[in-house]
Amino acid sequence: MFSGLQNPRNIAAQIMNFGLVLSTAFMMWKGLSIVADSPSPIVVVLSGSMEPAFQRGDLLLLWNRELFTETSVGDIVVYNVKDKEIPIVHRVVRKFGHGDKARLLTKGDNNVADDTELYARGQDYLERSDIVGSVVAYVPFVGYVTILLSEYPWLKTAMLGIMGLMVVLQRE
Amino acid sequence: MHSSFTRLQNVFGFFTTVAFVLGAFIAATDLGSARTPSGVIKTDNIQVVKGRPHYYSSKKEEYAIIRFSLEADLSSLFTWNTKQLFVYVTADWTSPGGTNNSAVIWDSIITNPSADHLQNLGPVAMKKLKKSAEGKSIAPERGLLKLKNQKPKYQITHPSGKIAETADVTLKLHYNVQPWVGVLTWNMDKPLGVWNAMRGGVSDLFTLPALKSKDGKGKDTKDKSSTKSKKSKKP
């Protein structure tokens, strides 16, 4: 297995290979980001506030361009709140006005109250610029790996290590 | 060349390909099943009150309570790939400045029996729900809605704090189909393939009443809603 290490040309090729895999993944992600006009075009559901539609670990595909219609009431949007790190996936239930200045109120389908309490202090409504994208497609469960990885950080190190080792040691 | 690692990798790769193709196939079957949603919606008793619409409201403002009747047939939206149907009614109006406003006044989550176990319900309600479609994985009859003089779940407000005597308000029925896998769909204005646009589903224009004074509020409400509900029973 370690015979590959004897040839420096081989090692270089393997490292290149590993780099290629990483950069391809990165380019696809960023490419999708440009197409969807969203900083994170794919998100994993982290909470149960939209149950039974979305469970923890489900994968959502986002779209942030208003090609045919504006973001409107009934759309499920992912938004960021100032000074809070985790984006939230909830449904728009009220919209006052239109365009960039429209005031939007969201609510989780599984929550009793709307999101006023989740917004920043003194903030009563969202603006269009707070929104990262609207949910257009859904794949169940696939994202659960990322929840495991973030809840058990050692898994991340272990997986990266194994992957790197395997790619480097892999012989064609 | 044929280490156990590459074998594992191949098996996993093949598994993901098969799963992806199967998922895409299931999602694509949605396009083949006809959708013929329809609904009739009309308002019953409407009130505008000044107060705190929520326990966490910081200021007193005017809010409208719109009771409505709804008869809808959304049964064609239930297929094997339907996880839930989210049905909602919005009130739509235009402010004097020409800006559009829209607010959900009522909503309902209708699960397909395949997703019943995911609902957030107490044990008794859950048992009842599961029993209502025993042995079935698709329950189109759940898409038949019949509401009479329904109390709204949400009172509508406006950021300006004023909403009384707003003219040209309509109620509109909407739906959102949540699939098990694939694209989320909402009600459409134009037909697409075998998916028809919603037939009806919009109320007549109405005007919100003037602000109701606090005295005699309870008594008035009772009288009005009872006479109204009697009226709505007539064809």
Side-chain angles (χ1 to χ4, degrees):
Chain A
M1 206 175 180
F2 284 88
S3 57
L5 293 181
Q6 285 157 12
N7 188 345
R9 200 179 278 271
N10 230 335
I11 303 172
Q14 297 294 12
I15 291 171
M16 283 290 280
N17 197 19
F18 187 53
L20 200 68
V21 170
L22 284 184
S23 57
T24 309
F26 185 70
M27 275 166 66
M28 280 174 73
W29 172 256
K30 284 292 170 193
L32 198 62
S33 191
I34 289 169
V35 172
D37 191 25
S38 170
S40 61
I42 296 174
V43 294
V44 174
V45 178
L46 296 175
S47 83
S49 60
M50 281 297 281
E51 275 179 358
F54 307 147
Q55 273 75 47
R56 263 163 69 83
D58 293 346
L59 212 68
L60 305 176
L61 201 74
L62 304 186
W63 185 257
N64 199 25
R65 288 183 193 277
E66 298 179 312
L67 287 184
F68 303 107
T69 49
E70 271 188 21
T71 303
S72 53
V73 167
D75 289 3
I76 305 172
V77 297
V78 176
Y79 65 89
N80 280 313
V81 175
K82 251 172 276 162
D83 307 325
K84 284 188 188 169
E85 274 178 32
I86 298 169
I88 299 170
V89 191
H90 278 175
R91 195 184 295 272
V92 178
V93 293
R94 278 177 206 184
K95 182 180 178 186
F96 303 108
H98 50 78
D100 294 338
K101 292 263 172 70
R103 280 179 270 200
L104 303 160
L105 181 71
T106 53
K107 175 183 169 292
D109 290 355
N110 196 22
N111 293 351
V112 178
D114 58 48
D115 290 353
T116 319
E117 301 270 270
L118 294 177
Y119 299 157
R121 194 177 284 266
Q123 182 184 15
D124 288 330
Y125 295 98
L126 294 179
E127 281 189 0
R128 186 61 186 79
S129 55
D130 296 321
I131 290 171
V132 180
S134 306
V135 179
V136 288
Y138 166 87
V139 183
F141 196 66
V142 177
Y144 208 84
V145 184
T146 61
I147 290 185
L148 285 180
L149 288 180
S150 62
E151 272 174 15
Y152 306 100
W154 59 267
L155 260 178
K156 209 185 286 181
T157 327
M159 227 170 103
L160 268 179
I162 292 171
M163 264 166 64
L165 211 68
M166 286 303 186
V167 173
V168 172
L169 295 183
Q170 203 178 9
R171 284 198 297 152
E172 287 299 317
Chain B
M1 198 90 161
H2 292 284
S3 67
S4 42
F5 175 67
T6 51
R7 283 196 183 111
L8 203 74
Q9 206 175 28
N10 287 339
V11 167
F12 185 71
F14 187 59
F15 169 75
T16 48
T17 312
V18 169
F20 182 79
V21 170
L22 200 67
F25 168 74
I26 292 169
T29 60
D30 279 354
L31 289 167
S33 55
R35 291 182 174 182
T36 51
S38 66
V40 177
I41 187 164
K42 56 180 189 226
T43 55
D44 288 331
N45 182 29
I46 309 167
Q47 275 183 54
V48 177
V49 186
K50 190 165 188 176
R52 291 174 215 275
H54 317 285
Y55 67 92
Y56 50 79
S57 298
S58 50
K59 63 174 198 297
K60 280 193 174 181
E61 55 187 326
E62 294 176 6
Y63 60 91
I65 306 160
I66 305 172
R67 281 180 174 259
F68 65 95
S69 289
L70 171 69
E71 218 166 299
D73 179 2
L74 305 174
S75 54
S76 59
L77 304 173
F78 286 86
T79 66
W80 71 327
N81 191 29
T82 308
K83 188 177 185 185
Q84 72 161 38
L85 188 69
F86 186 78
V87 184
Y88 55 106
V89 172
T90 58
D92 299 84
W93 72 98
T94 308
S95 289
T99 56
N100 302 318
N101 306 289
S102 185
V104 174
I105 64 163
W106 179 86
D107 59 24
S108 178
I109 296 169
I110 307 172
T111 47
N112 223 3
S114 52
D116 278 354
H117 61 284
L118 300 170
Q119 281 253 44
N120 179 17
L121 292 172
V124 179
M126 177 62 84
K127 218 172 177 181
K128 206 173 148 196
L129 179 70
K130 282 192 171 167
K131 210 162 182 191
S132 71
E134 222 166 5
K136 281 198 278 187
S137 59
I138 306 165
E141 68 275 9
R142 287 188 183 172
L144 298 171
L145 301 178
K146 210 166 195 173
L147 304 171
K148 263 195 186 141
N149 197 23
Q150 171 68 40
K151 207 177 136 192
K153 275 169 112 174
Y154 316 104
Q155 299 97 347
I156 57 170
T157 55
H158 189 268
S160 67
K162 297 241 179 292
I163 199 155
E165 290 165 79
T166 303
D168 297 343
V169 187
T170 53
L171 292 187
K172 211 173 161 189
L173 172 69
H174 303 254
Y175 65 81
N176 168 217
V177 180
Q178 168 66 39
W180 276 106
V181 60
V183 178
L184 279 78
T185 43
W186 279 262
N187 48 311
M188 302 165 300
D189 294 330
K190 287 175 196 154
L192 177 80
V194 292
W195 294 355
N196 293 309
M198 175 97 72
R199 207 152 42 80
V202 185
S203 77
D204 297 335
L205 290 172
F206 59 94
T207 303
L208 296 179
L211 193 65
K212 181 160 265 181
S213 62
K214 263 202 170 157
D215 326 305
K217 179 182 133 196
K219 200 182 147 210
D220 239 35
T221 320
K222 229 179 178 178
D223 288 353
K224 262 200 177 162
S225 60
S226 62
T227 51
K228 277 280 178 179
S229 63
K230 263 181 215 154
K231 262 184 206 164
S232 64
K233 268 174 201 152
K234 288 179 195 161

